[in-house]
Amino acid sequence: MYKWEGLNNTNINLIKNINISDEYDLQANLSSVLNSNNILKRFLLWRNIKFLKLKSQYVGFIWFNKLSNNRYKINSIFVMSEFKSLENYKALLGAIKKNSIATYFCKSSDIEYYIFKKLGFDKKRAIVEMKKTLKFFEEVECDLPISFYRFQKNKDEKLRCNVQNQIFSDLSRYPIDEEDVYFEENQKYYLNDGCIFIKHEESVVGYGQIIIDKGKAYLVNFGILEKYRGKGLGKLLLNYLSNLCYNMGYKEIYLKCNESNSIALQLYETMGFMQWDLTYELYKIV
């Protein structure tokens, strides 16, 4: 008979002893949240990790986020080697409320890809991972009144939320708030000097960010406000951020982009990025 168990001091050590590899770096996230004074974030993590037990043995665990009343994002799912079976993966999905949409990101080479396909998950979209080799510092030239402004902690959190939420309002991304930014500032991947605004005259018109994930420099949250697109500002900001990585000693810069976003992909290819890998978003009503 299966039994559910919430996060506790025993099973947290189980996670620490497993070599988990996923987009969100579960172990680092656990450490940062559990040592944080942010009570809400700690509560959400404890509530959203569920362990499945069979008699006295751990079968596995699932970690998810509740995005809305009937939408969930699976961050990580793991079944112990001696319990590997479709039935046990299906049992772990039982932690998610019935008749909800669950999504999961993985590569076609991951074993979970085949497992989730067998469990009836469909492809929703593909995400292209791209990389560019940084061989030298590139000059940023522009006739427009453009400047770059580095994000300042405890000052620009609201500004970043406003700009980023406007940039991605048409891409079905959930809006962020200041609490999300403060939380991110305490993550292992966050770079204090990696968050850059681009300004046209005195107006902030875009934003881009460099993070470090498993030793790689990634460009994230990159975009220009719709009103200012088509003026070459995206190239300028992208070039500036690439130079920032180069100055930090990185030989390559990576990014991820929806395969359907042809305009962004064309920009990245024009700027020397090449496709490196492909990740799929799978979904199902569970």
Side-chain angles (χ1 to χ4, degrees), residues 151 156-171 173-177 180-181 184 195 197 204-209 220-225 229:
F151 173 93
D156 294 325
E157 283 78 10
K158 185 175 182 179
L159 173 62
R160 177 184 161 185
C161 291
N162 291 338
V163 173
Q164 191 170 319
N165 288 337
Q166 288 182 66
I167 290 171
F168 299 113
S169 62
D170 58 341
L171 296 179
R173 279 181 54 163
Y174 282 84
I176 61 171
D177 57 30
D180 293 316
V181 179
E184 184 188 84
C195 307
F197 296 103
V204 172
V205 299
Y207 177 79
Q209 182 178 348
V220 297
N221 301 320
F222 176 86
I224 303 294
L225 294 178
R229 293 171 191 169

Side-chain angles (χ1 to χ4, degrees), residues 19-162:
N19 183 24
I20 303 296
S21 176
D22 60 55
E23 182 180 358
Y24 300 91
D25 197 352
L26 177 58
Q27 295 184 33
N29 200 300
L30 274 172
S31 176
S32 64
V33 173
L34 295 175
N35 294 326
S36 169
N37 292 324
N38 189 320
I39 297 175
L40 175 60
K41 296 294 183 182
R42 292 182 63 178
F43 170 75
L44 291 175
L45 186 64
W46 286 85
R47 187 179 67 177
N48 293 345
I49 294 183
K50 298 294 183 183
F51 285 80
L52 191 63
K53 297 183 74 174
L54 186 60
K55 295 182 179 179
S56 60
Q57 291 184 289
Y58 287 105
V59 173
F61 71 87
I62 184 171
W63 174 30
F64 55 85
N65 286 342
K66 184 177 181 180
L67 303 179
S68 66
N69 188 47
N70 66 340
R71 295 185 71 248
Y72 290 77
K73 185 177 187 179
I74 301 171
N75 297 326
S76 186
I77 187 168
F78 184 84
V79 175
M80 305 295 289
S81 57
E82 61 269 34
F83 291 102
K84 293 281 186 185
S85 70
L86 282 178
E87 190 62 31
N88 285 330
Y89 276 96
K90 185 177 180 180
L92 281 170
L93 293 174
I96 296 174
K97 188 177 72 172
K98 288 185 178 180
N99 298 317
S100 297
I101 298 173
T103 60
Y104 182 70
F105 292 85
C106 63
K107 296 178 172 60
S108 59
S109 58
D110 294 341
I111 185 64
E112 284 81 9
Y113 176 84
Y114 299 97
I115 291 171
F116 275 72
K117 292 292 286 183
K118 287 183 179 180
L119 289 172
F121 279 70
D122 294 317
K123 292 181 187 177
K124 183 178 181 181
R125 60 182 172 132
I127 299 173
V128 180
E129 184 170 345
M130 309 180 79
K131 73 173 182 178
K132 177 183 179 180
T133 300
L134 303 174
K135 297 180 180 179
F136 50 85
F137 186 91
E138 300 181 51
E139 293 292 336
V140 178
E141 297 182 0
C142 180
D143 295 330
L144 297 173
I146 294 300
S147 61
F148 300 95
Y149 171 71
R150 186 166 292 172
F151 173 93
Q152 297 183 46
K153 276 187 176 182
N154 301 316
K155 177 184 176 183
D156 294 325
E157 283 78 10
K158 185 175 182 179
L159 173 62
R160 177 184 161 185
C161 291
N162 291 338

Side-chain angles (χ1 to χ4, degrees), residues 134-137 241-251:
L134 303 174
K135 297 180 180 179
F136 50 85
F137 186 91
L241 290 162
S242 296
N243 285 337
L244 188 63
C245 284
Y246 181 81
N247 286 337
M248 289 189 291
Y250 289 93
K251 303 301 182 183

